[in-house]
Amino acid sequence: MDTAKVKTTRQLGQEPLASSSRELEYKVIHDQRLATIRSYNVWYAFGHVVAHGYFWLMLLLSLDLASRPLLIAAALVASMIVWFAYRVVLTIDRGVVFLYPRIIFLELSLGYDFYRDYLRSRPRGNTERSFIEKCEHLHAESATDLWEQIHSQFKDQDFPADRRITGHFKSAAYYSVILFWIVVAAILLPVYFPWQ
């Protein structure tokens, strides 16, 4: 943090009570961030378990009944469940991103740099780095003024999902959907295109 540019809590004229309440808010916000991250991990895992459970159950049922439409419907519905779980993750993740301005404000007020360093060091994170640097060079006469300036600098599109959680989540979704359709193709292709 550039201490010449951003005033500390004491320079902003805050009392120790305000500082301790900010420390408590900082802890609460990080707990909220972690709870939100846990929530989208649970949603994603649940979606995949449901999709795979549904697909394999319907696959066995379709083979038992010799029903090709049921087999195709099983793959289609399971694919939709996986993509729905993925979209839910993206929506919940935006809740984490919307906590960033307040986290940055609290870190600047308290002189912490844990999360700022984390965001600054993200791979390909030029917009994240730019946001942090702009916030660190703000001039504010009061904590309220600092918060308003940080909040006005924040644009959630500067924190795109593809640089956050979607890499491995998207890959897992693709692999699941591909698996469903490979199984369907392996069962149906010999029926329609016999080898002999």
Side-chain angles (χ1 to χ4, degrees):
M1 178 174 94
D2 186 348
T3 51
K5 303 279 184 181
V6 180
K7 296 187 177 184
T8 63
T9 307
R10 202 168 278 168
Q11 289 171 318
L12 290 171
Q14 302 300 314
E15 296 180 12
L17 182 60
S19 177
S20 72
S21 72
R22 283 205 186 96
E23 286 173 6
L24 179 62
E25 183 184 359
Y26 185 73
K27 182 183 181 320
V28 167
I29 280 186
H30 276 295
D31 289 345
Q32 181 182 352
R33 181 181 63 81
L34 292 173
T36 307
I37 290 169
R38 273 192 298 274
S39 132
Y40 68 60
N41 280 296
V42 166
W43 258 103
Y44 195 67
F46 177 73
H48 271 265
V49 167
V50 168
H52 281 270
Y54 174 83
F55 175 73
W56 295 108
L57 181 65
M58 290 296 111
L59 172 70
L60 293 173
L61 186 60
S62 69
L63 291 175
D64 216 24
L65 299 173
S67 171
R68 293 176 195 148
L70 184 59
L71 179 62
I72 292 168
L76 186 62
V77 171
S79 300
M80 288 171 39
I81 293 170
V82 166
W83 285 113
F84 175 75
Y86 176 68
R87 295 305 302 173
V88 168
V89 165
L90 292 181
T91 303
I92 295 173
D93 179 61
R94 290 291 90 190
V96 175
V97 170
F98 288 124
L99 294 174
Y100 286 175
R102 196 64 186 176
I103 290 172
I104 301 310
F105 163 73
L106 291 168
E107 285 201 349
L108 289 171
S109 297
L110 296 166
Y112 299 164
D113 59 6
F114 164 72
Y115 215 72
R116 284 183 292 142
D117 282 350
Y118 165 73
L119 289 174
R120 201 184 345 253
S121 65
R122 291 196 58 76
R124 300 179 297 125
N126 294 333
T127 53
E128 290 93 336
R129 204 169 8 266
S130 172
F131 172 69
I132 298 302
E133 287 168 2
K134 281 181 198 168
C135 291
E136 288 177 343
H137 292 89
L138 292 172
H139 296 279
E141 297 302 319
S142 68
T144 305
D145 187 32
L146 179 62
W147 165 242
E148 286 171 0
Q149 288 184 50
I150 290 171
H151 194 263
S152 68
Q153 293 284 334
F154 175 74
K155 297 177 186 69
D156 75 308
Q157 64 267 24
D158 289 345
F159 302 87
D162 65 346
R163 288 205 298 252
R164 294 176 43 71
I165 48 128
T166 57
H168 58 279
F169 281 121
K170 187 183 269 188
S171 297
Y174 276 126
Y175 290 141
S176 289
V177 170
I178 289 167
L179 172 68
F180 300 148
W181 291 103
I182 285 175
V183 170
V184 169
I187 292 168
L188 293 182
L189 283 177
V191 173
Y192 291 107
F193 303 103
W195 300 114
Q196 295 178 350

